[in-house]
């Protein structure tokens, strides 16, 4: 299965990806996680990305495209992958298409998790991640267990200001990717409002109609 999760910030892409990759046995490739790792490691790529991310802006295409295309060319992606947060611009989608065509493989599905803007701020500002296990929690919707509380991380871009910049970028830069995949017959729209289990059921149902191509 080669698939993409698209959706606004806080739609639940990471939450759902963590569950779905277990079902499909494919790697979860989050461009946001890769960039945060680069920032934490202080690499040149991380130094370039850090300022854009903190402000809720997109990291330039020329930085992100090479990073993700190189990642999906690795051996563990030979039988599939789940992209989360990439592509999020039209040039990124076109670059991915070209890279897959060069490798003679094709995408199987693009899942769009739809959540209204009004719900996004609370989801994003209440998010906490466990750096030890990678688990994503929410202070209200998915409360962390007491033993994890001391080590939880609050992302630098999970502020109200950065969240509204991220939403604006999503509507301006990422929504044009949706008709790109709709035109290819790959798009599955899923309602992202409800509990994570309910959303997972909807995604699983949408993916049942997908025939993996290669
Ligand atoms: P990235 O890390 O990709 O952030 P994002 O797309 O804004 O998505 P999030 O990680 O915020 O949300 P999510 O949909 O994964 O939600 P989650 O499951 O955590 O990117 C960060 C930055 O990196 C970008 O702003 C940009 O600067 C840069 N970047 C990354 N990729 C790039 C690219 N391709 N090009 C250029 N720049 C790039 O859930 C959120 C919260 O809600 C959690 O607390 C969770 O517990 C809770 N929750 C989840 N589901 C539900 C539910 N059903 N009900 C209630 N609560 C829920």
């Amino acid at each position: 299965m080669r698939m993409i999760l698209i959706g606004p910030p806080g739609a639940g892409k990471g939450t759902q990806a963590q569950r779905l990759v277990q079902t499909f046995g494919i790697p979860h490739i989050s461009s946001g996680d890769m960039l945060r790792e680069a920032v934490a490691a202080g690499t040149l790529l991380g130094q370039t990305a850090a300022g854009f991310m903190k402000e809720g802006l997109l990291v330039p295409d020329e930085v992100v495209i090479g990073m993700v295309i190189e990642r999906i060319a690795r051996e563990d992606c030979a039988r599939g992958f789940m992209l989360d947060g990439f592509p999020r611009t039209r040039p990124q989608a076109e670059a991915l298409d070209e890279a897959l065509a060069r490798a003679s493989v094709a995408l199987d599905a693009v899942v769009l998790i739809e959540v209204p803007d009004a719900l996004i701020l609370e989801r994003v500002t209440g998010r906490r991640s466990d750096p030890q296990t990678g688990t994503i929690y929410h202070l209200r919707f998915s409360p962390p267990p007491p033993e994890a509380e001391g080590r939880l991380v609050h992302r630098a871009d999970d502020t109200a200001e950065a969240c509204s910049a991220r939403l604006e970028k999503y509507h301006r830069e990422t929504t044009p990717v949706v008709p790109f995949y709709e035109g290819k017959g790959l798009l599955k729209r899923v309602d992202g409002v409800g509990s994570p289990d309910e959303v997972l059921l909807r995604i699983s149902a949408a993916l049942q109609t997908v025939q993996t191509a290669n």
Side-chain angles (χ1 to χ4, degrees):
M1 171 72 83
R2 293 182 181 84
M3 62 172 288
I4 298 173
L5 290 176
I6 298 185
K13 302 181 293 294
T15 300
Q16 296 300 331
Q18 286 184 344
R19 294 155 181 241
L20 288 162
V21 290
Q22 288 171 13
T23 309
F24 292 110
I26 51 178
H28 170 205
I29 298 168
S30 156
S31 49
D33 285 349
M34 291 175 79
L35 290 167
R36 279 184 289 278
E37 280 162 23
V39 171
T43 62
L44 191 58
L45 189 149
Q47 289 170 27
T48 308
F52 293 101
M53 295 175 77
K54 191 150 188 263
E55 299 293 321
L57 305 175
L58 292 184
V59 176
D61 284 340
E62 58 271 25
V63 176
V64 179
I65 288 173
M67 177 186 82
V68 177
I69 300 296
E70 183 275 326
R71 176 65 188 86
I72 62 173
R74 289 194 211 156
E75 182 57 33
D76 64 338
C77 294
R79 296 188 55 239
F81 52 75
M82 179 166 308
L83 285 173
D84 159 6
F86 183 96
R88 64 212 285 162
T89 64
R90 185 75 189 232
Q92 290 181 18
E94 285 164 2
L96 176 64
D97 240 29
E98 284 163 23
L100 294 176
R102 275 198 304 275
S104 304
V105 295
L107 283 172
D108 299 304
V110 177
V111 174
L112 171 64
I113 306 179
E114 298 182 298
V115 175
D117 287 5
L119 298 184
I120 296 295
L121 181 66
E122 187 179 13
R123 283 203 190 181
V124 163
T125 53
R127 171 177 32 208
R128 299 292 183 275
S129 318
D130 183 341
Q132 221 167 73
T133 64
T135 310
I136 302 165
Y137 295 105
H138 190 281
L139 295 178
R140 182 166 159 220
F141 305 127
S142 310
E147 64 273 17
E149 271 169 15
R151 58 174 188 259
L152 296 180
V153 173
H154 188 201
R155 268 169 49 177
D157 60 347
D158 278 350
T159 60
E161 298 74 35
C163 179
S164 86
R166 285 159 63 197
L167 253 183
E168 198 267 328
K169 282 282 160 201
Y170 174 76
H171 288 302
R172 192 138 51 102
E173 311 257 359
T174 306
T175 51
V177 171
V178 171
F180 179 80
Y181 288 120
E182 204 155 32
K184 292 174 182 287
L186 291 171
L187 194 77
K188 309 277 173 198
R189 288 177 188 270
V190 172
D191 180 4
V193 180
S195 71
D197 285 346
E198 286 168 334
V199 178
L200 180 65
L201 280 177
R202 289 178 203 140
I203 296 176
S204 304
L207 291 176
Q208 261 173 9
T209 58
V210 171
Q211 303 286 323
T212 50
N214 40 42

